[in-house]
Amino acid sequence: MTDLNISAISCALLQSGTTCWKCSAATTVTAIWVPGCIDNEDEECPEEGGAALLKYISDLDAGTMARVRAASPWLKSNYSHTADQTHLANHCQACDALQGDHFVYCPDGPFFPQDQAGVDQLKVIFEHGPLMASASTAQSGWMELVKLPAEG
């Protein structure tokens, strides 16, 4: 088990579409978004951050992992030669090819909207409950524009 350095009080799964680099099929991809988090990597001086996406997730608490698997079975652990590590990554639903974090989160990727209209195109699945992860975070201004679905 790895050290779980990221903690958040809740999270959401953001879903979008992309084209598989290997088979060219349209495929759904999922990102884990947190409205705010604490990075506990330096135990003496934890860093508090705003809204962020989790990238290169090498471990996730059991409860969150179960919810992720139920909503996005294509998001699974695999070794990436490009990243030279095993992490939770999107896979093509047609051919099962790993869809690398670099390409999913890059400026031309599905999780880099330029405005509110682009953010509104993302499907948001809110997840109640705390999250603990071993991951890195990526922050951008658009992440503050994510609107959580109304409870009800």
Side-chain angles (χ1 to χ4, degrees):
M1 175 113 157
T2 57
D3 293 330
L4 301 174
N5 65 305
I6 302 294
S7 60
I9 59 170
S10 63
C11 68
L13 303 179
L14 305 182
Q15 293 184 335
S16 187
T18 193
T19 301
C20 176
W21 65 270
K22 187 172 184 180
C23 74
S24 300
T27 191
T28 302
V29 288
T30 300
I32 299 177
W33 172 89
V34 292
C37 64
I38 297 175
D39 187 337
N40 298 297
E41 191 162 0
D42 180 352
E43 291 178 12
E44 293 181 19
C45 206
E47 289 186 37
E48 192 171 334
L53 293 181
L54 302 186
K55 295 174 55 175
Y56 300 105
I57 302 166
S58 60
D59 201 2
L60 198 56
D61 68 88
T64 303
M65 181 60 93
R67 294 188 304 271
V68 167
R69 282 188 179 138
S72 301
W74 53 85
L75 193 58
K76 53 192 175 183
S77 188
N78 202 343
Y79 179 78
S80 166
H81 292 284
T82 303
D84 191 27
Q85 72 181 75
T86 299
H87 66 279
L88 202 58
N90 285 281
H91 288 72
C92 176
Q93 284 90 62
C95 73
D96 203 40
L98 187 145
Q99 307 297 301
D101 278 14
H102 172 75
F103 299 104
V104 172
Y105 299 116
C106 73
D108 291 333
F111 295 113
F112 206 95
Q114 300 300 307
D115 53 24
Q116 185 68 57
V119 172
D120 291 344
Q121 295 298 311
L122 299 172
K123 180 179 178 183
V124 179
I125 303 168
F126 182 65
E127 295 291 333
H128 295 276
L131 167 143
M132 295 288 297
S134 178
S136 60
T137 59
Q139 294 183 293
S140 181
W142 72 263
M143 294 173 198
E144 300 289 341
L145 302 175
V146 173
K147 296 176 185 168
L148 297 176
E151 291 188 54

